[in-house]
Amino acid sequence: RRVIEAESKEDATKALAKIHEQMSASRTRTTDWFYKMDSSRDGKISRAELKKGLKDMSCNLSASDLKAVLQYLDDDNSGSVSL
């Protein structure tokens, strides 16, 4: 995992907690949520897919929180998230 700024990591942690809360409330498993958001079926979630998936889940994040989450989860710097 690459190093990210402390502030961004805190933002990502808070945003991920919000996402987790929403997933728990809807009783959605992480893998099910991932595959539902992966509209291109390429095994990765792009920024656009993540944004749409969160909106569909009624979990609206600010642009900076979305960026922090993507940066935190994007292990290989590809601009997307994979399982």
Side-chain angles (χ1 to χ4, degrees), residues 45-61:
I45 298 175
S46 67
R47 184 181 194 284
E49 288 172 326
L50 180 61
K51 185 177 180 179
K52 182 183 181 318
L54 291 171
K55 183 178 179 183
D56 290 349
M57 198 170 77
S58 299
C59 187
N60 298 313
L61 299 180

Side-chain angles (χ1 to χ4, degrees), residues 11-39:
D11 290 345
T13 301
K14 289 176 187 175
L16 286 168
K18 184 177 179 181
I19 293 168
H20 180 265
E21 184 179 307
Q22 187 66 31
M23 287 175 59
S24 293
S26 67
R27 296 181 179 208
T28 303
R29 295 182 319 162
T30 303
T31 52
D32 294 337
W33 180 65
F34 182 91
Y35 290 118
K36 184 177 179 179
M37 284 197 302
D38 183 17
S39 60

